Amino acid sequence: MQSLTRRLVLPAIPALLAPTLLGPAALAQPAFPARPVRLVSGFAPGGATDVLARSMADRLTGLWRQSVVVENRPGAGGNIAAEYVARAAPDGHVLLLGTSAQVQAAGLFARLPYHPLRDFTPLLLMAGYPVALVVHPGLPVRTLADFVALARARPGEVTLASSGIGNTPHLAALLLAQMAGVEFTVVQYTGAALGQAAVLNGEVNGAFQSMLLAKPAVESGRERALGTTGAARWPEMADVPTIAEQGYPGFEAGSWFGIQGPPGMAPGLVARLHGDLATAFADPALRTRLASAGFGLREAGPAAFAVVMEEEFTRWARVLREAGIRPD
């Protein structure tokens, strides 16, 4: 397994407090939206994240009768976009398509330009995206138990592809190694497609892959799926058991996506935005499109979304720390 020796420095985990109840005058808000709204995404156009952002922007434009523009600010694993929104005015006209990368990043950077919890206002958690553990079909394993037994018999010799330190596939590999008490060697590639190519040609033994990548390869017999990382089985691969149900209760690793605002948003505006976002997200055509893009719907309001963020922040910081991966 990778062993990095940089020192781990994590910010303190704050309690996410409910907004204080204020009087009517304090809750008074200017008309919203008073001008075009920008939905900022930390990823390039064309990917699955962009599908979600633009689908929501289209529905909100109709609902608000005001333009909602997706603004792509890719780079630094989503940190550029997150920092931009964390510093925006809390009037609802700049929103973030937040992802699990925000809280995963906390364990990789000694000094982030924002705090992954207190510098954002959760509005609506919308979707999740589990991954699948797949292996090359030539590897002499048929089940997750076989795979773990092989790794135990050959410490460090079983290889898994990843497309970045601290992303969901990498964290899933670390978590499985820790829960199973085995050692994998994680090989980094510059993209998920290159990592999958390495599995297909036998350069590495396997990988945790997104469902969009894994499903066609598994169905064609070019890869073998050993488990999925969600809390429940993935509907599109329902014959593949979760890792949790194969002897690792509580195992869960995946990406999530939601809309957040800057810090300091007034409670009245938070309630208004949550209601409108939930209305837009309820559109059947939008939900069908997201399902076809591989998303699992995972809806939660501001309070429950805040809990998810804090739990993930804590869990992945611990996994990275125990793996010896230190932030810059």
Side-chain angles (χ1 to χ4, degrees):
M1 184 181 295
Q2 287 179 306
S3 176
L4 303 183
T5 57
R6 293 166 288 177
R7 188 173 172 222
L8 177 64
V9 180
L10 286 174
I13 302 172
L16 295 179
L17 302 178
T20 304
L21 295 178
L22 302 174
L27 293 176
Q29 294 290 319
F32 175 84
R35 58 185 182 276
V37 175
R38 288 179 289 161
L39 179 56
V40 181
S41 171
F43 301 91
T49 306
D50 206 50
V51 169
L52 177 54
R54 295 185 187 280
S55 297
M56 284 296 289
D58 288 346
R59 273 108 188 133
L60 290 169
T61 292
L63 183 64
W64 287 337
R65 300 185 181 278
Q66 181 66 269
S67 296
V68 179
V69 180
V70 175
E71 185 173 312
N72 298 96
R73 289 176 172 256
N79 286 343
I80 292 173
E83 180 184 5
Y84 179 79
V85 175
R87 296 182 178 182
D91 58 10
H93 291 87
V94 176
L95 302 173
L96 176 69
L97 182 64
T99 75
S100 49
Q102 283 170 249
V103 292
Q104 292 169 351
L108 295 173
F109 299 93
R111 293 177 180 84
L112 279 172
Y114 59 85
H115 192 284
L117 299 181
R118 65 170 174 258
D119 285 346
F120 301 95
T121 300
L123 298 171
L124 181 69
L125 178 64
M126 297 181 293
Y129 212 112
V131 294
L133 173 59
V134 300
V135 296
H136 186 278
L139 194 70
V141 300
R142 306 293 303 183
T143 66
L144 179 62
D146 294 340
F147 183 70
V148 169
L150 180 65
R152 186 167 290 123
R154 302 177 183 176
E157 294 183 25
V158 174
T159 54
L160 293 173
S162 176
S163 55
I165 297 174
N167 63 10
T168 296
H170 183 220
L171 291 172
L174 297 181
L175 181 60
L176 179 59
Q178 290 170 12
M179 293 183 73
V182 298
E183 182 180 351
F184 304 122
T185 294
V186 180
V187 182
Q188 297 293 346
Y189 292 85
T190 55
L194 290 177
Q196 183 180 51
V199 177
L200 295 177
N201 66 27
E203 184 177 320
V204 294
N205 299 132
F208 283 90
Q209 291 176 355
S210 74
M211 296 303 187
L212 286 181
L213 284 176
K215 185 172 181 287
V218 170
E219 290 177 340
S220 66
R222 294 176 297 156
E223 291 180 340
R224 179 178 298 131
L226 302 182
T228 57
T229 66
R233 294 195 182 197
W234 190 249
E236 298 297 317
M237 296 175 67
D239 58 330
V240 180
T242 67
I243 291 175
E245 69 183 275
Q246 297 183 76
Y248 301 95
F251 186 101
E252 189 172 353
S255 301
W256 51 255
F257 305 84
I259 293 181
Q260 304 163 329
M265 299 182 78
L269 180 58
V270 171
R272 161 75 191 279
L273 284 168
H274 170 246
D276 288 351
L277 291 169
T279 296
F281 192 63
D283 181 84
L286 178 147
R287 296 169 84 91
T288 298
R289 186 181 184 196
L290 295 183
S292 67
F295 290 102
L297 304 184
R298 186 185 177 186
E299 191 169 354
F305 190 0
V307 170
V308 169
M309 290 172 61
E310 188 160 7
E311 289 177 345
E312 294 259 297
F313 178 95
T314 304
R315 181 160 62 112
W316 294 125
R318 183 183 66 249
V319 168
L320 287 166
R321 183 171 61 249
E322 292 179 0
I325 295 178
R326 313 299 183 186
D328 292 321

